[in-house]
Amino acid sequence: MNKIRASLILILSLFLSSPSFLPSQDVVDAIVAIVNDEIITISDFMREYDMLYEVLRSQLQGEDFSKRLEKEKEALLETLITEKLLMQEAIGLDIRSTADMDGQIRSMIDGIKKQYNIGSDEEFRRLMAQQGVDYENWIAQQEKRILTQALIFSEVGRSIAIDET
């Protein structure tokens, strides 16, 4: 009896694992670019596009909005690739450890809150959400910007030679 049961389990498992009997799987994401050993996916592109859309929508209207969005969309993948390369270089040079990310971001948030008379961090987050801006994505963008600036400053600083004569 155990042999028959074992055979039935084996046949059933082979039958169910056969590709023709598995339900079809949808593609969840696709790669749009490979930058060294890192990928940029469609969802990465769409997340950035959505942020771009919301920012432009809050600044422009009508045909100005449409034209600018189309122009920015065409350059978006190139921008993502450039950002990825810059982040890889910053990591390779350990720029993150020399940049005071938390302090700079805190200072930026405090400046925005003061400029727009925003009382608390919670209110700041709520107002961002009302504008269609995801707070965590915004913070990630600010970190990228700070690292990029630190990398550029580091590289430019290295190439400057001062003649002391």
Side-chain angles (χ1 to χ4, degrees), residues 48-157:
E48 295 296 323
Y49 176 79
D50 290 345
M51 278 197 324
L52 173 66
Y53 182 93
E54 292 301 327
V55 167
L56 292 178
R57 176 52 86 203
S58 69
Q59 297 172 355
L60 303 168
Q61 295 178 3
E63 194 172 320
D64 290 339
F65 167 75
S66 300
K67 285 180 181 179
R68 179 79 180 272
L69 181 63
E70 190 58 36
K71 181 180 177 184
E72 295 289 332
K73 182 181 175 185
E74 289 174 8
L76 186 56
L77 183 57
E78 185 176 333
T79 300
L80 291 173
I81 291 168
T82 301
E83 282 180 358
K84 190 72 78 174
L85 288 167
L86 287 168
M87 291 303 102
Q88 289 172 358
E89 185 68 16
I91 290 167
L93 294 174
D94 199 23
I95 298 289
R96 183 180 267 294
S97 65
T98 61
D100 176 21
M101 302 278 266
D102 294 336
Q104 288 188 51
I105 290 174
R106 180 78 255 157
S107 177
M108 184 184 314
I109 291 171
D110 289 344
I112 293 169
K113 285 170 43 182
K114 184 177 179 180
Q115 180 180 359
Y116 292 100
N117 249 357
I118 300 170
S120 67
D121 286 350
E122 291 76 29
E123 185 180 358
F124 178 71
R125 286 178 181 232
R126 185 178 51 76
L127 290 170
M128 288 185 80
Q130 285 177 350
Q131 295 296 317
V133 178
D134 180 81
Y135 179 79
E136 298 303 323
N137 286 340
W138 182 79
I139 291 292
Q141 286 295 334
Q142 300 315 308
E143 288 176 351
K144 286 179 188 177
R145 188 183 58 76
I146 291 167
L147 281 175
T148 299
Q149 288 175 342
L151 174 65
I152 291 168
F153 182 76
S154 170
E155 291 301 302
V156 169

Side-chain angles (χ1 to χ4, degrees), residues 14-32:
L14 289 172
F15 179 78
L16 291 176
S17 66
S18 169
S20 61
F21 292 100
L22 291 176
S24 65
Q25 295 179 347
D26 294 331
V27 175
V28 176
D29 217 344
I31 296 171
V32 293

Side-chain angles (χ1 to χ4, degrees), residues 30-52:
I31 296 171
V32 293
I34 300 173
V35 183
N36 295 323
D37 60 346
E38 295 184 50
I39 61 171
I40 298 172
T41 63
I42 288 176
S43 61
D44 296 331
F45 181 88
M46 291 309 298
R47 183 175 38 256
E48 295 296 323
Y49 176 79
D50 290 345
M51 278 197 324
L52 173 66

